Short mmCIF file of all heavy atoms in Angstrom, two decimals:
data_model
loop_
_atom_site.label_atom_id
_atom_site.label_comp_id
_atom_site.label_asym_id
_atom_site.label_seq_id
_atom_site.Cartn_x
_atom_site.Cartn_y
_atom_site.Cartn_z
N GLY A 1 0.78 -2.89 13.25
CA GLY A 1 0.31 -1.78 14.05
C GLY A 1 -0.07 -0.58 13.21
O GLY A 1 0.33 -0.44 12.05
N LEU A 2 -0.85 0.31 13.82
CA LEU A 2 -1.35 1.49 13.12
C LEU A 2 -0.23 2.40 12.66
O LEU A 2 -0.24 2.92 11.53
CB LEU A 2 -2.31 2.26 14.04
CG LEU A 2 -2.89 3.56 13.47
CD1 LEU A 2 -3.71 3.28 12.21
CD2 LEU A 2 -3.74 4.27 14.52
N LYS A 3 0.78 2.64 13.53
CA LYS A 3 1.87 3.54 13.19
C LYS A 3 2.65 3.03 11.98
O LYS A 3 3.02 3.80 11.09
CB LYS A 3 2.80 3.69 14.40
CG LYS A 3 3.73 4.88 14.34
CD LYS A 3 4.51 5.01 15.64
CE LYS A 3 5.49 6.17 15.58
NZ LYS A 3 6.29 6.29 16.83
N ALA A 4 2.88 1.71 11.94
CA ALA A 4 3.59 1.10 10.80
C ALA A 4 2.77 1.23 9.52
O ALA A 4 3.29 1.55 8.44
CB ALA A 4 3.89 -0.36 11.09
N MET A 5 1.46 1.01 9.64
CA MET A 5 0.59 1.09 8.47
C MET A 5 0.56 2.52 7.90
O MET A 5 0.65 2.72 6.69
CB MET A 5 -0.83 0.66 8.86
CG MET A 5 -1.82 0.67 7.70
SD MET A 5 -3.47 0.10 8.19
CE MET A 5 -3.97 1.44 9.29
N LEU A 6 0.48 3.51 8.79
CA LEU A 6 0.47 4.90 8.34
C LEU A 6 1.80 5.27 7.67
O LEU A 6 1.83 6.05 6.70
CB LEU A 6 0.19 5.83 9.52
CG LEU A 6 -1.23 5.73 10.11
CD1 LEU A 6 -1.35 6.62 11.34
CD2 LEU A 6 -2.29 6.09 9.07
N HIS A 7 2.90 4.71 8.19
CA HIS A 7 4.21 4.95 7.59
C HIS A 7 4.25 4.41 6.16
O HIS A 7 4.73 5.09 5.24
CB HIS A 7 5.29 4.29 8.45
CG HIS A 7 6.65 4.24 7.81
ND1 HIS A 7 7.21 3.06 7.35
CD2 HIS A 7 7.54 5.22 7.53
CE1 HIS A 7 8.39 3.32 6.83
NE2 HIS A 7 8.63 4.62 6.93
N LYS A 8 3.73 3.21 5.97
CA LYS A 8 3.73 2.61 4.63
C LYS A 8 2.77 3.37 3.70
O LYS A 8 3.05 3.54 2.51
CB LYS A 8 3.34 1.13 4.71
CG LYS A 8 4.35 0.27 5.49
CD LYS A 8 5.74 0.40 4.89
CE LYS A 8 6.79 -0.42 5.63
NZ LYS A 8 7.15 0.11 6.94
N PHE A 9 1.64 3.83 4.23
CA PHE A 9 0.72 4.63 3.42
C PHE A 9 1.40 5.92 2.95
O PHE A 9 1.24 6.33 1.80
CB PHE A 9 -0.53 4.99 4.23
CG PHE A 9 -1.51 3.87 4.40
CD1 PHE A 9 -1.24 2.60 3.88
CD2 PHE A 9 -2.69 4.05 5.09
CE1 PHE A 9 -2.13 1.55 4.05
CE2 PHE A 9 -3.60 3.01 5.26
CZ PHE A 9 -3.32 1.77 4.75
N GLU A 10 2.16 6.56 3.85
CA GLU A 10 2.84 7.79 3.48
C GLU A 10 3.89 7.54 2.41
O GLU A 10 4.07 8.35 1.49
CB GLU A 10 3.46 8.44 4.71
CG GLU A 10 3.98 9.84 4.44
CD GLU A 10 4.28 10.63 5.69
OE1 GLU A 10 4.02 10.15 6.80
OE2 GLU A 10 4.79 11.76 5.55
N LEU A 11 4.58 6.39 2.51
CA LEU A 11 5.54 6.02 1.47
C LEU A 11 4.82 5.86 0.13
O LEU A 11 5.29 6.33 -0.91
CB LEU A 11 6.24 4.70 1.84
CG LEU A 11 7.60 4.75 2.51
CD1 LEU A 11 8.07 3.33 2.80
CD2 LEU A 11 8.63 5.48 1.65
N ILE A 12 3.68 5.18 0.15
CA ILE A 12 2.93 4.93 -1.08
C ILE A 12 2.47 6.24 -1.70
O ILE A 12 2.66 6.48 -2.91
CB ILE A 12 1.72 4.01 -0.78
CG1 ILE A 12 2.21 2.59 -0.45
CG2 ILE A 12 0.77 3.97 -1.98
CD1 ILE A 12 1.11 1.68 0.08
N TYR A 13 1.87 7.11 -0.91
CA TYR A 13 1.36 8.38 -1.44
C TYR A 13 2.50 9.28 -1.91
O TYR A 13 2.34 10.04 -2.88
CB TYR A 13 0.52 9.10 -0.38
CG TYR A 13 -0.86 8.53 -0.21
CD1 TYR A 13 -1.32 8.09 1.03
CD2 TYR A 13 -1.73 8.41 -1.30
CE1 TYR A 13 -2.59 7.56 1.19
CE2 TYR A 13 -3.01 7.88 -1.15
CZ TYR A 13 -3.43 7.46 0.10
OH TYR A 13 -4.69 6.94 0.24
N SER A 14 3.65 9.24 -1.24
CA SER A 14 4.78 10.09 -1.61
C SER A 14 5.44 9.62 -2.90
O SER A 14 5.80 10.43 -3.76
CB SER A 14 5.81 10.13 -0.48
OG SER A 14 5.27 10.65 0.71
N ILE A 15 5.60 8.30 -3.05
CA ILE A 15 6.28 7.74 -4.22
C ILE A 15 5.32 7.57 -5.39
O ILE A 15 5.70 7.74 -6.55
CB ILE A 15 6.91 6.38 -3.86
CG1 ILE A 15 7.94 6.54 -2.73
CG2 ILE A 15 7.56 5.74 -5.08
CD1 ILE A 15 9.14 7.37 -3.06
N ASP A 16 4.06 7.24 -5.10
CA ASP A 16 3.04 6.96 -6.13
C ASP A 16 3.54 5.90 -7.11
O ASP A 16 3.67 6.13 -8.32
CB ASP A 16 2.68 8.24 -6.88
CG ASP A 16 1.46 8.06 -7.78
OD1 ASP A 16 0.61 7.20 -7.45
OD2 ASP A 16 1.37 8.75 -8.81
N PRO A 17 3.83 4.67 -6.60
CA PRO A 17 4.41 3.63 -7.47
C PRO A 17 3.42 3.10 -8.50
O PRO A 17 2.20 3.16 -8.31
CB PRO A 17 4.77 2.53 -6.46
CG PRO A 17 3.79 2.71 -5.34
CD PRO A 17 3.57 4.20 -5.23
N ASP A 18 3.97 2.57 -9.59
CA ASP A 18 3.14 1.93 -10.60
C ASP A 18 2.69 0.55 -10.15
O ASP A 18 1.61 0.08 -10.52
CB ASP A 18 3.93 1.80 -11.91
CG ASP A 18 4.33 3.16 -12.46
OD1 ASP A 18 3.44 3.90 -12.90
OD2 ASP A 18 5.53 3.49 -12.40
N TYR A 19 3.55 -0.11 -9.36
CA TYR A 19 3.23 -1.45 -8.85
C TYR A 19 3.63 -1.53 -7.37
O TYR A 19 4.64 -0.95 -6.96
CB TYR A 19 3.99 -2.53 -9.62
CG TYR A 19 3.81 -2.47 -11.12
CD1 TYR A 19 4.78 -1.89 -11.93
CD2 TYR A 19 2.67 -3.00 -11.73
CE1 TYR A 19 4.63 -1.83 -13.31
CE2 TYR A 19 2.51 -2.94 -13.11
CZ TYR A 19 3.49 -2.36 -13.88
OH TYR A 19 3.33 -2.29 -15.24
N ILE A 20 2.84 -2.26 -6.61
CA ILE A 20 3.17 -2.55 -5.22
C ILE A 20 3.21 -4.05 -5.07
O ILE A 20 2.18 -4.73 -5.23
CB ILE A 20 2.14 -1.95 -4.24
CG1 ILE A 20 2.02 -0.44 -4.43
CG2 ILE A 20 2.52 -2.28 -2.80
CD1 ILE A 20 0.87 0.19 -3.66
N ILE A 21 4.38 -4.59 -4.82
CA ILE A 21 4.50 -6.04 -4.63
C ILE A 21 4.37 -6.36 -3.15
O ILE A 21 5.10 -5.80 -2.32
CB ILE A 21 5.84 -6.56 -5.19
CG1 ILE A 21 5.84 -6.42 -6.72
CG2 ILE A 21 6.08 -8.01 -4.79
CD1 ILE A 21 7.11 -6.90 -7.38
N ILE A 22 3.44 -7.24 -2.83
CA ILE A 22 3.20 -7.62 -1.44
C ILE A 22 3.40 -9.12 -1.28
O ILE A 22 3.25 -9.89 -2.23
CB ILE A 22 1.78 -7.22 -0.98
CG1 ILE A 22 0.72 -7.85 -1.90
CG2 ILE A 22 1.62 -5.70 -0.96
CD1 ILE A 22 -0.70 -7.59 -1.46
N PHE A 23 3.75 -9.53 -0.07
CA PHE A 23 4.05 -10.94 0.19
C PHE A 23 3.05 -11.57 1.15
O PHE A 23 3.25 -12.68 1.62
CB PHE A 23 5.47 -11.06 0.76
CG PHE A 23 6.54 -10.63 -0.20
CD1 PHE A 23 6.88 -9.29 -0.33
CD2 PHE A 23 7.21 -11.56 -0.98
CE1 PHE A 23 7.85 -8.88 -1.23
CE2 PHE A 23 8.19 -11.16 -1.87
CZ PHE A 23 8.51 -9.82 -2.00
N ASP A 24 2.00 -10.84 1.45
CA ASP A 24 0.94 -11.33 2.34
C ASP A 24 -0.38 -10.85 1.75
O ASP A 24 -0.61 -9.65 1.64
CB ASP A 24 1.14 -10.79 3.76
CG ASP A 24 0.12 -11.33 4.74
OD1 ASP A 24 -0.94 -11.82 4.29
OD2 ASP A 24 0.37 -11.26 5.95
N GLN A 25 -1.24 -11.78 1.37
CA GLN A 25 -2.49 -11.43 0.72
C GLN A 25 -3.35 -10.49 1.56
O GLN A 25 -4.07 -9.63 1.05
CB GLN A 25 -3.29 -12.70 0.38
CG GLN A 25 -4.49 -12.47 -0.51
CD GLN A 25 -4.12 -11.97 -1.91
OE1 GLN A 25 -3.26 -12.56 -2.56
NE2 GLN A 25 -4.74 -10.91 -2.36
N LYS A 26 -3.25 -10.64 2.88
CA LYS A 26 -4.06 -9.78 3.77
C LYS A 26 -3.64 -8.32 3.66
O LYS A 26 -4.45 -7.42 3.90
CB LYS A 26 -3.91 -10.26 5.22
CG LYS A 26 -4.50 -11.63 5.49
CD LYS A 26 -4.29 -12.03 6.95
CE LYS A 26 -4.86 -13.43 7.22
NZ LYS A 26 -4.60 -13.85 8.63
N MET A 27 -2.38 -8.08 3.30
CA MET A 27 -1.90 -6.70 3.19
C MET A 27 -2.64 -5.95 2.09
O MET A 27 -2.81 -4.73 2.18
CB MET A 27 -0.40 -6.67 2.91
CG MET A 27 0.48 -7.05 4.08
SD MET A 27 2.22 -6.84 3.69
CE MET A 27 2.31 -5.06 3.47
N LYS A 28 -3.05 -6.65 1.06
CA LYS A 28 -3.74 -5.99 -0.06
C LYS A 28 -5.01 -5.29 0.41
O LYS A 28 -5.35 -4.20 -0.05
CB LYS A 28 -4.06 -7.01 -1.15
CG LYS A 28 -4.65 -6.40 -2.41
CD LYS A 28 -4.82 -7.43 -3.51
CE LYS A 28 -5.36 -6.78 -4.78
NZ LYS A 28 -5.50 -7.76 -5.87
N ASP A 29 -5.71 -5.92 1.37
CA ASP A 29 -6.96 -5.35 1.86
C ASP A 29 -6.74 -4.12 2.73
O ASP A 29 -7.68 -3.35 2.97
CB ASP A 29 -7.73 -6.40 2.67
CG ASP A 29 -8.12 -7.61 1.83
OD1 ASP A 29 -8.33 -7.42 0.60
OD2 ASP A 29 -8.20 -8.72 2.37
N THR A 30 -5.52 -3.92 3.20
CA THR A 30 -5.23 -2.75 4.04
C THR A 30 -4.71 -1.57 3.21
O THR A 30 -4.59 -0.47 3.74
CB THR A 30 -4.20 -3.08 5.13
OG1 THR A 30 -2.92 -3.35 4.52
CG2 THR A 30 -4.64 -4.28 5.95
N LEU A 31 -4.40 -1.81 1.94
CA LEU A 31 -3.88 -0.73 1.10
C LEU A 31 -4.97 0.30 0.83
O LEU A 31 -6.15 -0.03 0.82
CB LEU A 31 -3.39 -1.29 -0.24
CG LEU A 31 -2.16 -2.20 -0.21
CD1 LEU A 31 -1.88 -2.73 -1.61
CD2 LEU A 31 -0.94 -1.46 0.33
N PRO A 32 -4.58 1.55 0.60
CA PRO A 32 -5.57 2.56 0.19
C PRO A 32 -6.33 2.07 -1.05
O PRO A 32 -5.74 1.45 -1.94
CB PRO A 32 -4.70 3.78 -0.13
CG PRO A 32 -3.45 3.59 0.68
CD PRO A 32 -3.22 2.11 0.72
N ASN A 33 -7.62 2.34 -1.11
CA ASN A 33 -8.48 1.81 -2.18
C ASN A 33 -7.94 2.07 -3.58
O ASN A 33 -7.98 1.20 -4.45
CB ASN A 33 -9.89 2.41 -2.06
CG ASN A 33 -10.64 1.87 -0.84
OD1 ASN A 33 -10.36 0.77 -0.39
ND2 ASN A 33 -11.57 2.66 -0.33
N ASN A 34 -7.43 3.27 -3.81
CA ASN A 34 -6.98 3.62 -5.17
C ASN A 34 -5.65 2.99 -5.54
O ASN A 34 -5.16 3.20 -6.65
CB ASN A 34 -6.90 5.15 -5.32
CG ASN A 34 -6.06 5.80 -4.23
OD1 ASN A 34 -6.06 5.35 -3.10
ND2 ASN A 34 -5.38 6.87 -4.57
N TYR A 35 -5.05 2.20 -4.64
CA TYR A 35 -3.79 1.53 -4.94
C TYR A 35 -3.93 0.00 -4.97
O TYR A 35 -2.98 -0.70 -5.31
CB TYR A 35 -2.71 1.92 -3.93
CG TYR A 35 -2.11 3.28 -4.19
CD1 TYR A 35 -2.58 4.41 -3.54
CD2 TYR A 35 -1.09 3.45 -5.13
CE1 TYR A 35 -2.06 5.67 -3.78
CE2 TYR A 35 -0.55 4.71 -5.39
CZ TYR A 35 -1.04 5.81 -4.71
OH TYR A 35 -0.51 7.05 -4.97
N ARG A 36 -5.08 -0.51 -4.61
CA ARG A 36 -5.23 -1.97 -4.55
C ARG A 36 -5.10 -2.63 -5.91
O ARG A 36 -4.63 -3.75 -6.03
CB ARG A 36 -6.58 -2.33 -3.91
CG ARG A 36 -6.64 -2.00 -2.42
CD ARG A 36 -7.95 -2.36 -1.79
NE ARG A 36 -8.03 -1.83 -0.43
CZ ARG A 36 -9.09 -1.92 0.35
NH1 ARG A 36 -10.19 -2.52 -0.10
NH2 ARG A 36 -9.06 -1.41 1.56
N ASN A 37 -5.51 -1.91 -6.96
CA ASN A 37 -5.39 -2.49 -8.30
C ASN A 37 -3.95 -2.47 -8.82
O ASN A 37 -3.66 -3.02 -9.87
CB ASN A 37 -6.31 -1.76 -9.29
CG ASN A 37 -5.96 -0.29 -9.46
OD1 ASN A 37 -5.26 0.27 -8.63
ND2 ASN A 37 -6.45 0.31 -10.52
N ARG A 38 -3.04 -1.83 -8.09
CA ARG A 38 -1.62 -1.83 -8.46
C ARG A 38 -0.84 -2.90 -7.70
O ARG A 38 0.36 -3.08 -7.93
CB ARG A 38 -0.99 -0.47 -8.17
CG ARG A 38 -1.70 0.71 -8.83
CD ARG A 38 -0.93 2.00 -8.62
NE ARG A 38 -1.73 3.17 -8.96
CZ ARG A 38 -1.27 4.41 -8.96
NH1 ARG A 38 0.00 4.63 -8.64
NH2 ARG A 38 -2.05 5.43 -9.25
N ALA A 39 -1.52 -3.58 -6.78
CA ALA A 39 -0.84 -4.57 -5.94
C ALA A 39 -0.70 -5.91 -6.65
O ALA A 39 -1.63 -6.38 -7.32
CB ALA A 39 -1.60 -4.76 -4.64
#
């Protein structure tokens, strides 16, 4: 859902991680553009 996605985006922008480990390939396409290369 949209609310969950925005929550995860806010976590990403707040933490600014070096790596984002995902367990669903489709999730990579929903990540903010500037973080997809860290996935």
Side-chain angles (χ1 to χ4, degrees):
L2 178 61
K3 197 174 178 182
M5 181 178 68
L6 293 176
H7 169 252
K8 296 303 180 288
F9 284 1
E10 190 165 356
L11 264 179
I12 290 170
Y13 283 124
S14 299
I15 300 295
D16 190 28
D18 298 291
Y19 306 100
I20 302 171
I21 292 180
I22 57 176
F23 296 83
D24 183 341
Q25 190 65 50
K26 293 179 182 178
M27 288 185 65
K28 185 174 182 179
D29 298 330
T30 67
L31 293 176
N33 290 333
N34 53 326
Y35 282 96
R36 290 181 189 176
N37 62 343
R38 305 186 193 185

